[in-house]
Amino acid sequence: MAELYTKEILRLTTRIPLTERLAAPDITVVKTSRLCGSRLTADATLKDGVITQFGQEVKACALGQATAAIVGGRVIGLDKATFEDINARFRHMVATGVADFPEAWADLALLAPVKDHPGRKGSVMLPFDVLAEVFGV
């Protein structure tokens, strides 16, 4: 488990952006990991299919918090096509440990060791599960 909880991962848990919920979102999504009970509640507004505002409440383990921090730092301006690409790459990495991300999303590679820890996969997937619902994927 030590390979999961690196300094970089733990540092991200203290830097989760966009932690204020939105007053009038277009959509609110709540996702909970069945295995560990981690929960992510997110609000989003979209214009022309692009996320323009986002707020999240993260009640998750360090890995879920780290993923929410990385995704939260890149979610404004995100469109469905870009999300689908990053989502597919992330799911592939979680299954295989092989990371292949564009530079803007390269920090997600920090989570590659989760492939060997099935009980942690649900938590790291929460931001992606939330965004899948936001985009109707």
Side-chain angles (χ1 to χ4, degrees):
M1 285 275 213
E3 74 276 9
L4 286 175
Y5 298 98
T6 64
K7 286 182 187 178
E8 293 87 0
I9 292 290
L10 296 175
R11 191 171 294 124
L12 285 166
T13 67
T14 65
R15 298 183 176 142
I16 302 171
L18 307 173
T19 57
E20 297 292 322
R21 300 281 310 275
L22 303 182
D26 293 331
I27 186 168
T28 297
V29 179
V30 179
K31 293 291 180 179
T32 303
S33 170
R34 292 183 195 158
L35 291 177
C36 67
S38 291
R39 176 178 284 206
L40 177 61
T41 303
D43 303 315
T45 59
L46 295 96
K47 181 175 182 182
D48 300 323
V50 175
I51 295 177
T52 57
Q53 294 180 303
F54 191 82
Q56 60 184 345
E57 181 179 274
V58 182
K59 294 183 178 180
C61 67
L63 298 172
Q65 290 177 44
T67 311
I70 295 167
V71 172
R74 290 146 187 86
V75 73
I76 301 299
L78 187 63
D79 61 39
K80 183 176 181 178
T82 303
F83 167 71
E84 289 178 326
D85 176 55
I86 300 304
N87 184 41
R89 291 171 187 255
F90 190 73
R91 290 180 186 279
H92 177 75
M93 183 195 73
V94 167
T96 67
V98 177
D100 176 31
F101 298 102
E103 187 175 334
W105 293 87
D107 287 349
L108 289 172
L110 294 169
L111 297 155
V114 80
K115 85 163 183 72
D116 296 323
H117 303 277
R120 301 292 186 246
K121 291 180 181 182
S123 184
V124 299
M125 291 308 305
L126 287 175
F128 290 91
D129 293 342
V130 163
L131 289 173
E133 192 165 326
V134 167
F135 286 116
V137 176

